[in-house]
Amino acid sequence: DSAMTRVFGTFITCLQENRKPVFVIATANQVQNLPPELLRKGRFDELWFVDLPTLEERKAIFEIHLNKRGWDPARFDIGTLAKNADKFSGAEIEQVVLGAMYEAFSQHRVLRQSDLLDVQFATVPLAITMEEQIDSLRHWASSRARPATPTSAVMEMIAEEAQVSRQ
């Protein structure tokens, strides 16, 4: 505990006394456990809540991770993959791509849509495993932080429900 206190003290002093233009970004999964003196205006000017990726963001994440590994995203139905990845984090989407590639590689063949879907359906995202904690964090952030994405996963669900009720 005293080591953590010293680290926070040093960091706060650095933020307070630095006279050069510095842009500091920090992340925390349990921001409610951070000391209040760290979060006050002037130290961190803004708190942002980064929710799970939206449908469009999930499409982009699939494309990024397929491209990064030499696969042309146009060969795959990215829309279906992104839709099925509701509640997946970016890291979980990356693991879907990697897991599917390992499966295809182990069978000495190219990556297929079915490989991606199989890994996807076998994955239980953390947002489901830790649903209560994530809901609690969303509730905390709703009145204390700015959303990092204009359309959060919650807004997507509301829009989808509105569409269904109009039909």
Side-chain angles (χ1 to χ4, degrees):
D1 246 345
S2 68
M4 185 62 75
T5 303
R6 282 194 310 272
V7 168
F8 273 124
T10 302
F11 185 62
I12 287 172
T13 301
C14 176
L15 288 175
Q16 198 69 35
E17 294 179 358
N18 187 16
R19 297 292 172 236
K20 295 181 181 171
V22 175
F23 191 78
V24 178
I25 298 174
T27 63
N29 289 333
Q30 296 181 339
V31 69
Q32 64 274 24
N33 293 342
L34 292 174
E37 61 272 15
L38 184 64
L39 300 177
R40 78 161 174 78
K41 289 281 189 186
R43 295 217 168 108
F44 284 103
D45 295 327
E46 205 64 65
L47 290 179
W48 298 88
F49 176 63
V50 180
D51 205 340
L52 294 169
T54 64
L55 178 65
E56 291 305 313
E57 291 165 342
R58 292 191 306 268
K59 287 177 185 176
I61 293 167
F62 269 107
E63 290 173 357
I64 287 166
H65 288 295
L66 287 164
N67 264 325
K68 182 177 177 181
R69 287 153 183 96
W71 296 101
D72 179 6
R75 291 186 56 239
F76 304 95
D77 181 353
I78 299 294
T80 296
L81 292 169
K83 187 172 183 190
N84 290 338
D86 183 40
K87 298 189 179 180
F88 280 52
S89 68
E92 289 165 332
I93 291 171
E94 179 180 24
Q95 290 306 306
V96 166
V97 172
L98 289 173
M101 286 176 52
Y102 294 144
E103 183 60 31
F105 180 76
S106 73
Q107 295 179 22
H108 308 287
R109 58 175 176 73
V110 299
L111 181 65
R112 299 189 297 225
Q113 176 88 8
S114 60
D115 297 318
L116 293 159
L117 291 171
D118 289 347
V119 174
Q120 204 171 39
F121 290 128
T123 302
V124 178
L126 194 60
I128 291 176
T129 306
M130 305 294 284
E131 184 175 11
E132 295 79 11
Q133 290 89 330
I134 290 174
D135 286 346
S136 174
L137 181 57
R138 281 180 175 143
H139 178 74
W140 181 93
S142 69
S143 62
R144 296 174 177 93
R146 293 177 63 177
T149 302
T151 310
S152 68
V154 173
M155 296 305 290
E156 263 183 55
M157 290 188 319
I158 292 168
E160 285 177 14
E161 287 175 9
Q163 236 176 4
V164 169
S165 66
R166 281 187 236 131
Q167 294 175 353

